[in-house]
Amino acid sequence: MVRTLDSIETVGVVGAGTMGSGIAQVAAQAGYDVVMRDIKEAFVEDGFDTIEESLDRFVSKEKLSEAEAEATRDRIAGTTDLADLADCDVVVEAAVEDMEIKRDIFADLDEAVPEDVVLATNTSTLSITTIAAATDREERVVGLHFMNPVPVMKGVEVVVGEKTDGEVTEFAHALAEDLGKETWESDDKPGFVTNRILMPWLNEGIRAYDEGVASKEDVDKGMKLGTNVPMGPLELADHIGLDICLDASQTLHEELGDRYKPAYLLKRKVDAGDLGKKTGQGFYEY
Ligand code: 3HC
């Protein structure tokens, strides 16, 4: 049994940091009541400050009215007690990227919230399957990987664990869409789609600078103007947080080893003369 989206009224968020507060904000903006929990009162307060700043930006850009911002604030309650999530209809965990901490949180959530409630994790690289195994509801655990800054970024990656039920996957897509996001789906493989590809890109940008290929400004400018991304690798790494990048990179390195050699398929395509758009065939057909 999985709750349907139309029966969801209250969203629980575990973690009030950059990601957790962003998730709490978008859920409240979408009209849900939100309970945002962190381990210390000061962290909860910081989460509210982040939300306040973001709402102020939206109001000053006339993307949100004062009344909508006010209503959003009013829908979010803060707590340090996990038991206060007992009445939530779905919970999204966005605590630190530490497997043991996440497994402890999921074991506690499993006790705290009714058994038909879906527990989602915002993990960026850790295994959904391993996190889910800390509960007795592995089929109702799913990855809901938001992008930073959550209030602005359109995309959410739905990550399907080994035991995740198909209905739960559908529910995760529907919930994210209801929060105004667009989704794609990834199997529970290290880094999923986004970080598996993004982290080597960031690391290569950092190495290019470190090895004197170009100044940091020119590495960023080259990638921005050369490939039409909003931020170059060094800027983006700074935006994400270098600690988070390092954590994610270490997980990928442990799980996947040396990913920096040219991909075998790339060489095979070139040998076959499939050079992309100009030959009518690359990875896609034109
Ligand atoms: N809350 C509300 N609004 C915000 C905001 C926030 N936190 N941050 C930015 N905005 C709004 C601004 O109001 C502005 O609106 P406008 O277009 O009407 O002027 C708009 O977003 C752009 O903001 P700024 O002009 O201040 O700054 P930029 O133009 O540089 O845009 C950005 C900021 C949206 C962050 C853009 O630079 C960008 O898209 N960068 C790439 C971000 C990215 O790739 N994120 C994903 C990282 S990977 C990840 O998160 C996965 C994790 O697991 C590691």
Side-chain angles (χ1 to χ4, degrees):
M1 254 290 280
V2 176
R3 296 191 185 192
T4 53
L5 192 62
D6 52 18
S7 70
I8 305 298
E9 288 177 5
T10 308
V11 176
V13 179
V14 178
T18 308
M19 300 306 282
S21 65
I23 295 165
Q25 180 186 333
V26 294
Q29 275 183 243
Y32 293 100
D33 290 327
V34 176
V35 184
M36 178 173 75
R37 184 263 183 182
D38 212 315
I39 48 173
K40 285 188 187 160
E41 192 56 46
F43 297 161
V44 176
E45 288 310 317
D46 287 349
F48 277 112
D49 288 347
T50 307
I51 292 169
E52 197 61 44
E53 277 169 34
S54 177
L55 290 173
D56 284 349
R57 281 180 88 154
F58 282 139
V59 170
S60 68
K61 299 265 178 186
E62 295 182 353
K63 289 181 174 173
L64 216 59
S65 69
E66 257 309 345
E68 286 166 326
E70 187 74 39
T72 299
R73 278 181 213 110
D74 289 348
R75 286 190 202 105
I76 308 172
T79 183
T80 53
D81 189 354
L82 205 72
D84 287 340
L85 301 187
D87 293 330
C88 290
D89 303 301
V90 59
V91 178
V92 184
E93 172 276 326
V96 289
E97 284 291 283
D98 179 303
M99 180 57 89
E100 284 322 304
I101 292 176
K102 286 198 192 291
R103 280 175 57 86
D104 285 348
I105 291 171
F106 272 71
D108 291 345
L109 283 171
D110 202 28
E111 297 291 318
V113 301
E115 62 179 4
D116 61 340
V117 167
V118 169
L119 304 180
T121 171
N122 180 59
T123 183
S124 56
T125 40
L126 299 175
S127 163
I128 309 301
T129 306
T130 312
I131 295 170
T135 72
D136 284 329
R137 68 178 89 190
E138 290 158 271
E139 65 285 5
R140 282 187 291 282
V141 176
V142 67
L144 212 46
H145 180 210
F146 288 81
M147 304 292 134
N148 176 11
V150 179
V152 181
M153 298 294 286
K154 267 278 168 205
V156 173
E157 187 163 53
V158 173
V159 189
V160 184
E162 187 67 27
K163 299 250 172 96
T164 308
D165 192 280
E167 272 185 68
V168 172
T169 305
E170 287 312 307
F171 171 83
H173 282 284
L175 178 65
E177 282 162 17
D178 206 50
L179 303 186
K181 305 299 185 189
E182 287 182 39
T183 58
W184 61 93
E185 200 170 299
S186 172
D187 194 10
D188 185 21
K189 302 257 163 56
F192 321 130
V193 172
T194 47
N195 281 331
R196 182 182 183 118
I197 296 166
L198 178 62
M199 290 304 153
W201 185 78
L202 297 183
N203 279 296
E204 202 49 45
I206 294 164
R207 271 193 289 268
Y209 164 57
D210 191 32
E211 291 171 20
V213 175
S215 67
K216 54 184 182 299
E217 292 80 9
D218 276 0
V219 169
D220 281 339
K221 191 173 181 183
M223 294 316 293
K224 267 195 299 202
L225 298 184
T227 68
N228 241 3
V229 289
M231 287 179 172
L234 297 161
E235 250 186 305
L236 182 54
D238 278 349
H239 166 78
I240 292 169
L242 302 186
D243 51 341
I244 291 174
C245 292
L246 180 61
D247 256 11
S249 302
Q250 281 169 338
T251 304
L252 287 169
H253 187 238
E254 269 167 35
E255 300 287 347
L256 300 173
D258 180 8
R259 306 296 288 184
Y260 302 106
K261 284 189 285 188
Y264 171 71
L265 183 59
L266 179 66
K267 285 201 277 186
R268 196 172 62 173
K269 288 265 182 207
V270 172
D271 287 345
D274 291 341
L275 303 183
K277 214 167 184 174
K278 63 182 171 185
T279 62
Q281 183 70 55
F283 291 108
Y284 300 95
E285 195 180 310
Y286 299 92

